[in-house]
Every structure is written in C-alpha cells, then in structure tokens.
Amino acid sequence: MSRRTPTPLTVTLWSLTIGGLAVVQFPGILFYHDVAEPRILGMPFIYGFNLLVWGLLCVVLLIAYRTRWGRPRPDELDDEFEGGADDREDAA
C-alpha cells in the first residue's frame, strides 16, 4: 500500500476545519458572555461570532464535499479491482 502525498487543497481544507473548530471552542470567547457590546449582525458578540464561524465551517465542508475531498481519484479506482466484476462475485 502506497502513501499518497496530500494535495494543497487537502491541507487547506483540513487546516480550515480544525482551525475553525478550535476557534469556536476557544475559552477566551467567554470573556464576552455578559457584554452587550460589541455586536455582530445585531446580536451580542458571542452569538454573532459563533454564527459567523459555523457559517464559515459549513462553506468549507461544502467545498470539501463538492471536490470529493478524501475519496480516491477515479484513475486510482481501476487499480483496486483489477479482476473485474466476475472475481468479486466469486468471493461473495
């Protein structure tokens, strides 16, 4: 089994996903829990900030889904089943 080198897109998507989740869970946000100002999108800071970060994460995961992130490329699938459909039926 050979290891594949991650593409720049894969590294970027992983970084944005992990970084976004870390930002949402950052405990420093709790310094603003009783503060009405500043406001983001008319909401108190903590709610607006979480809404913006989750929106960003949804966009990142949509891009990952649309680019087939984490799935083998179609040209790599041919090597996986060299024998064709007949060999797979015999194994079942």
Side-chain angles (χ1 to χ4, degrees), residues 50-70:
N50 281 327
L51 180 69
L52 288 176
V53 172
W54 278 111
L56 174 71
L57 284 172
C58 287
V59 169
V60 168
L61 292 176
L62 176 67
I63 292 169
Y65 173 75
R66 299 286 289 173
T67 58
R68 299 180 52 88
W69 173 42

PDB file of all heavy atoms in Angstrom, residues 50-70:
ATOM      1  N   ASN A  50     -20.024  33.064  16.962  1.00  0.00           N
ATOM      2  CA  ASN A  50     -20.257  31.634  16.722  1.00  0.00           C
ATOM      3  C   ASN A  50     -21.027  31.403  15.430  1.00  0.00           C
ATOM      4  O   ASN A  50     -20.744  30.457  14.700  1.00  0.00           O
ATOM      5  CB  ASN A  50     -20.987  31.002  17.906  1.00  0.00           C
ATOM      6  CG  ASN A  50     -20.052  30.700  19.045  1.00  0.00           C
ATOM      7  OD1 ASN A  50     -18.898  30.376  18.835  1.00  0.00           O
ATOM      8  ND2 ASN A  50     -20.548  30.817  20.257  1.00  0.00           N
ATOM      9  N   LEU A  51     -22.000  32.251  15.130  1.00  0.00           N
ATOM     10  CA  LEU A  51     -22.754  32.122  13.891  1.00  0.00           C
ATOM     11  C   LEU A  51     -21.847  32.299  12.671  1.00  0.00           C
ATOM     12  O   LEU A  51     -21.923  31.519  11.709  1.00  0.00           O
ATOM     13  CB  LEU A  51     -23.891  33.146  13.856  1.00  0.00           C
ATOM     14  CG  LEU A  51     -24.762  33.117  12.609  1.00  0.00           C
ATOM     15  CD1 LEU A  51     -25.597  31.840  12.591  1.00  0.00           C
ATOM     16  CD2 LEU A  51     -25.645  34.337  12.558  1.00  0.00           C
ATOM     17  N   LEU A  52     -20.974  33.292  12.715  1.00  0.00           N
ATOM     18  CA  LEU A  52     -20.059  33.511  11.588  1.00  0.00           C
ATOM     19  C   LEU A  52     -19.078  32.350  11.401  1.00  0.00           C
ATOM     20  O   LEU A  52     -18.823  31.912  10.279  1.00  0.00           O
ATOM     21  CB  LEU A  52     -19.287  34.813  11.781  1.00  0.00           C
ATOM     22  CG  LEU A  52     -20.095  36.096  11.594  1.00  0.00           C
ATOM     23  CD1 LEU A  52     -19.222  37.304  11.907  1.00  0.00           C
ATOM     24  CD2 LEU A  52     -20.640  36.183  10.196  1.00  0.00           C
ATOM     25  N   VAL A  53     -18.528  31.832  12.492  1.00  0.00           N
ATOM     26  CA  VAL A  53     -17.561  30.736  12.386  1.00  0.00           C
ATOM     27  C   VAL A  53     -18.251  29.466  11.891  1.00  0.00           C
ATOM     28  O   VAL A  53     -17.724  28.757  11.030  1.00  0.00           O
ATOM     29  CB  VAL A  53     -16.832  30.504  13.721  1.00  0.00           C
ATOM     30  CG1 VAL A  53     -15.971  29.258  13.662  1.00  0.00           C
ATOM     31  CG2 VAL A  53     -15.969  31.706  14.052  1.00  0.00           C
ATOM     32  N   TRP A  54     -19.439  29.167  12.410  1.00  0.00           N
ATOM     33  CA  TRP A  54     -20.151  27.970  11.935  1.00  0.00           C
ATOM     34  C   TRP A  54     -20.550  28.125  10.471  1.00  0.00           C
ATOM     35  O   TRP A  54     -20.532  27.150   9.714  1.00  0.00           O
ATOM     36  CB  TRP A  54     -21.366  27.668  12.802  1.00  0.00           C
ATOM     37  CG  TRP A  54     -20.974  26.928  14.028  1.00  0.00           C
ATOM     38  CD1 TRP A  54     -20.991  27.389  15.302  1.00  0.00           C
ATOM     39  CD2 TRP A  54     -20.458  25.598  14.105  1.00  0.00           C
ATOM     40  NE1 TRP A  54     -20.515  26.431  16.168  1.00  0.00           N
ATOM     41  CE2 TRP A  54     -20.179  25.319  15.449  1.00  0.00           C
ATOM     42  CE3 TRP A  54     -20.189  24.611  13.152  1.00  0.00           C
ATOM     43  CZ2 TRP A  54     -19.668  24.113  15.886  1.00  0.00           C
ATOM     44  CZ3 TRP A  54     -19.670  23.402  13.586  1.00  0.00           C
ATOM     45  CH2 TRP A  54     -19.419  23.161  14.928  1.00  0.00           C
ATOM     46  N   GLY A  55     -20.913  29.339  10.052  1.00  0.00           N
ATOM     47  CA  GLY A  55     -21.203  29.574   8.640  1.00  0.00           C
ATOM     48  C   GLY A  55     -19.975  29.321   7.777  1.00  0.00           C
ATOM     49  O   GLY A  55     -20.052  28.702   6.713  1.00  0.00           O
ATOM     50  N   LEU A  56     -18.808  29.792   8.238  1.00  0.00           N
ATOM     51  CA  LEU A  56     -17.554  29.544   7.517  1.00  0.00           C
ATOM     52  C   LEU A  56     -17.263  28.047   7.435  1.00  0.00           C
ATOM     53  O   LEU A  56     -16.874  27.540   6.379  1.00  0.00           O
ATOM     54  CB  LEU A  56     -16.402  30.273   8.206  1.00  0.00           C
ATOM     55  CG  LEU A  56     -15.010  29.980   7.649  1.00  0.00           C
ATOM     56  CD1 LEU A  56     -14.850  30.621   6.283  1.00  0.00           C
ATOM     57  CD2 LEU A  56     -13.949  30.454   8.601  1.00  0.00           C
ATOM     58  N   LEU A  57     -17.461  27.333   8.544  1.00  0.00           N
ATOM     59  CA  LEU A  57     -17.215  25.890   8.544  1.00  0.00           C
ATOM     60  C   LEU A  57     -18.166  25.160   7.586  1.00  0.00           C
ATOM     61  O   LEU A  57     -17.759  24.206   6.915  1.00  0.00           O
ATOM     62  CB  LEU A  57     -17.354  25.323   9.955  1.00  0.00           C
ATOM     63  CG  LEU A  57     -16.187  25.606  10.888  1.00  0.00           C
ATOM     64  CD1 LEU A  57     -16.521  25.169  12.298  1.00  0.00           C
ATOM     65  CD2 LEU A  57     -14.939  24.914  10.401  1.00  0.00           C
ATOM     66  N   CYS A  58     -19.402  25.601   7.510  1.00  0.00           N
ATOM     67  CA  CYS A  58     -20.353  24.982   6.571  1.00  0.00           C
ATOM     68  C   CYS A  58     -19.894  25.187   5.131  1.00  0.00           C
ATOM     69  O   CYS A  58     -19.977  24.270   4.313  1.00  0.00           O
ATOM     70  CB  CYS A  58     -21.747  25.555   6.774  1.00  0.00           C
ATOM     71  SG  CYS A  58     -22.546  24.990   8.285  1.00  0.00           S
ATOM     72  N   VAL A  59     -19.395  26.378   4.814  1.00  0.00           N
ATOM     73  CA  VAL A  59     -18.895  26.647   3.469  1.00  0.00           C
ATOM     74  C   VAL A  59     -17.669  25.784   3.174  1.00  0.00           C
ATOM     75  O   VAL A  59     -17.539  25.201   2.086  1.00  0.00           O
ATOM     76  CB  VAL A  59     -18.581  28.151   3.297  1.00  0.00           C
ATOM     77  CG1 VAL A  59     -17.821  28.409   2.006  1.00  0.00           C
ATOM     78  CG2 VAL A  59     -19.862  28.963   3.339  1.00  0.00           C
ATOM     79  N   VAL A  60     -16.745  25.673   4.136  1.00  0.00           N
ATOM     80  CA  VAL A  60     -15.537  24.855   3.947  1.00  0.00           C
ATOM     81  C   VAL A  60     -15.922  23.389   3.711  1.00  0.00           C
ATOM     82  O   VAL A  60     -15.389  22.734   2.806  1.00  0.00           O
ATOM     83  CB  VAL A  60     -14.590  24.983   5.157  1.00  0.00           C
ATOM     84  CG1 VAL A  60     -13.498  23.935   5.126  1.00  0.00           C
ATOM     85  CG2 VAL A  60     -13.983  26.365   5.204  1.00  0.00           C
ATOM     86  N   LEU A  61     -16.852  22.865   4.496  1.00  0.00           N
ATOM     87  CA  LEU A  61     -17.251  21.468   4.327  1.00  0.00           C
ATOM     88  C   LEU A  61     -18.040  21.254   3.038  1.00  0.00           C
ATOM     89  O   LEU A  61     -17.955  20.174   2.427  1.00  0.00           O
ATOM     90  CB  LEU A  61     -18.040  20.999   5.541  1.00  0.00           C
ATOM     91  CG  LEU A  61     -17.203  20.905   6.818  1.00  0.00           C
ATOM     92  CD1 LEU A  61     -18.084  20.536   8.002  1.00  0.00           C
ATOM     93  CD2 LEU A  61     -16.079  19.910   6.663  1.00  0.00           C
ATOM     94  N   LEU A  62     -18.778  22.262   2.579  1.00  0.00           N
ATOM     95  CA  LEU A  62     -19.448  22.160   1.280  1.00  0.00           C
ATOM     96  C   LEU A  62     -18.419  22.082   0.161  1.00  0.00           C
ATOM     97  O   LEU A  62     -18.546  21.269  -0.757  1.00  0.00           O
ATOM     98  CB  LEU A  62     -20.386  23.341   1.064  1.00  0.00           C
ATOM     99  CG  LEU A  62     -21.071  23.387  -0.294  1.00  0.00           C
ATOM    100  CD1 LEU A  62     -22.055  22.226  -0.436  1.00  0.00           C
ATOM    101  CD2 LEU A  62     -21.761  24.706  -0.512  1.00  0.00           C
ATOM    102  N   ILE A  63     -17.389  22.917   0.244  1.00  0.00           N
ATOM    103  CA  ILE A  63     -16.315  22.866  -0.760  1.00  0.00           C
ATOM    104  C   ILE A  63     -15.626  21.506  -0.715  1.00  0.00           C
ATOM    105  O   ILE A  63     -15.336  20.910  -1.754  1.00  0.00           O
ATOM    106  CB  ILE A  63     -15.304  24.001  -0.527  1.00  0.00           C
ATOM    107  CG1 ILE A  63     -15.964  25.347  -0.819  1.00  0.00           C
ATOM    108  CG2 ILE A  63     -14.053  23.816  -1.372  1.00  0.00           C
ATOM    109  CD1 ILE A  63     -15.153  26.543  -0.367  1.00  0.00           C
ATOM    110  N   ALA A  64     -15.380  20.989   0.483  1.00  0.00           N
ATOM    111  CA  ALA A  64     -14.745  19.674   0.613  1.00  0.00           C
ATOM    112  C   ALA A  64     -15.621  18.595  -0.009  1.00  0.00           C
ATOM    113  O   ALA A  64     -15.130  17.698  -0.698  1.00  0.00           O
ATOM    114  CB  ALA A  64     -14.490  19.363   2.087  1.00  0.00           C
ATOM    115  N   TYR A  65     -16.911  18.660   0.203  1.00  0.00           N
ATOM    116  CA  TYR A  65     -17.829  17.675  -0.369  1.00  0.00           C
ATOM    117  C   TYR A  65     -17.856  17.773  -1.898  1.00  0.00           C
ATOM    118  O   TYR A  65     -17.816  16.757  -2.590  1.00  0.00           O
ATOM    119  CB  TYR A  65     -19.233  17.894   0.201  1.00  0.00           C
ATOM    120  CG  TYR A  65     -20.281  17.038  -0.437  1.00  0.00           C
ATOM    121  CD1 TYR A  65     -20.375  15.686  -0.129  1.00  0.00           C
ATOM    122  CD2 TYR A  65     -21.175  17.573  -1.347  1.00  0.00           C
ATOM    123  CE1 TYR A  65     -21.332  14.886  -0.712  1.00  0.00           C
ATOM    124  CE2 TYR A  65     -22.131  16.783  -1.936  1.00  0.00           C
ATOM    125  CZ  TYR A  65     -22.215  15.445  -1.618  1.00  0.00           C
ATOM    126  OH  TYR A  65     -23.164  14.670  -2.206  1.00  0.00           O
ATOM    127  N   ARG A  66     -17.919  18.987  -2.412  1.00  0.00           N
ATOM    128  CA  ARG A  66     -18.010  19.171  -3.864  1.00  0.00           C
ATOM    129  C   ARG A  66     -16.717  18.761  -4.582  1.00  0.00           C
ATOM    130  O   ARG A  66     -16.763  18.403  -5.747  1.00  0.00           O
ATOM    131  CB  ARG A  66     -18.343  20.629  -4.186  1.00  0.00           C
ATOM    132  CG  ARG A  66     -19.670  21.096  -3.609  1.00  0.00           C
ATOM    133  CD  ARG A  66     -20.827  20.561  -4.320  1.00  0.00           C
ATOM    134  NE  ARG A  66     -20.883  21.223  -5.613  1.00  0.00           N
ATOM    135  CZ  ARG A  66     -21.727  20.891  -6.552  1.00  0.00           C
ATOM    136  NH1 ARG A  66     -22.588  19.952  -6.345  1.00  0.00           N
ATOM    137  NH2 ARG A  66     -21.722  21.502  -7.701  1.00  0.00           N
ATOM    138  N   THR A  67     -15.576  18.830  -3.897  1.00  0.00           N
ATOM    139  CA  THR A  67     -14.306  18.456  -4.529  1.00  0.00           C
ATOM    140  C   THR A  67     -13.932  17.009  -4.245  1.00  0.00           C
ATOM    141  O   THR A  67     -12.823  16.596  -4.539  1.00  0.00           O
ATOM    142  CB  THR A  67     -13.168  19.376  -4.059  1.00  0.00           C
ATOM    143  OG1 THR A  67     -13.054  19.293  -2.643  1.00  0.00           O
ATOM    144  CG2 THR A  67     -13.404  20.797  -4.476  1.00  0.00           C
ATOM    145  N   ARG A  68     -14.865  16.237  -3.669  1.00  0.00           N
ATOM    146  CA  ARG A  68     -14.644  14.821  -3.364  1.00  0.00           C
ATOM    147  C   ARG A  68     -13.427  14.644  -2.459  1.00  0.00           C
ATOM    148  O   ARG A  68     -12.605  13.764  -2.644  1.00  0.00           O
ATOM    149  CB  ARG A  68     -14.498  14.000  -4.634  1.00  0.00           C
ATOM    150  CG  ARG A  68     -15.722  14.039  -5.503  1.00  0.00           C
ATOM    151  CD  ARG A  68     -15.557  13.223  -6.764  1.00  0.00           C
ATOM    152  NE  ARG A  68     -15.117  11.870  -6.520  1.00  0.00           N
ATOM    153  CZ  ARG A  68     -15.921  10.842  -6.272  1.00  0.00           C
ATOM    154  NH1 ARG A  68     -17.205  11.016  -6.233  1.00  0.00           N
ATOM    155  NH2 ARG A  68     -15.440   9.642  -6.073  1.00  0.00           N
ATOM    156  N   TRP A  69     -13.295  15.500  -1.452  1.00  0.00           N
ATOM    157  CA  TRP A  69     -12.178  15.515  -0.523  1.00  0.00           C
ATOM    158  C   TRP A  69     -12.143  14.201   0.247  1.00  0.00           C
ATOM    159  O   TRP A  69     -13.109  13.777   0.832  1.00  0.00           O
ATOM    160  CB  TRP A  69     -12.366  16.683   0.422  1.00  0.00           C
ATOM    161  CG  TRP A  69     -11.416  16.778   1.558  1.00  0.00           C
ATOM    162  CD1 TRP A  69     -10.077  16.571   1.525  1.00  0.00           C
ATOM    163  CD2 TRP A  69     -11.731  17.154   2.892  1.00  0.00           C
ATOM    164  NE1 TRP A  69      -9.542  16.812   2.755  1.00  0.00           N
ATOM    165  CE2 TRP A  69     -10.532  17.160   3.617  1.00  0.00           C
ATOM    166  CE3 TRP A  69     -12.899  17.483   3.540  1.00  0.00           C
ATOM    167  CZ2 TRP A  69     -10.461  17.489   4.954  1.00  0.00           C
ATOM    168  CZ3 TRP A  69     -12.840  17.812   4.873  1.00  0.00           C
ATOM    169  CH2 TRP A  69     -11.631  17.814   5.568  1.00  0.00           C
ATOM    170  N   GLY A  70     -11.010  13.515   0.224  1.00  0.00           N
ATOM    171  CA  GLY A  70     -10.843  12.277   0.965  1.00  0.00           C
ATOM    172  C   GLY A  70     -11.207  11.025   0.204  1.00  0.00           C
ATOM    173  O   GLY A  70     -10.994   9.926   0.684  1.00  0.00           O
TER     174      GLY A  70
END
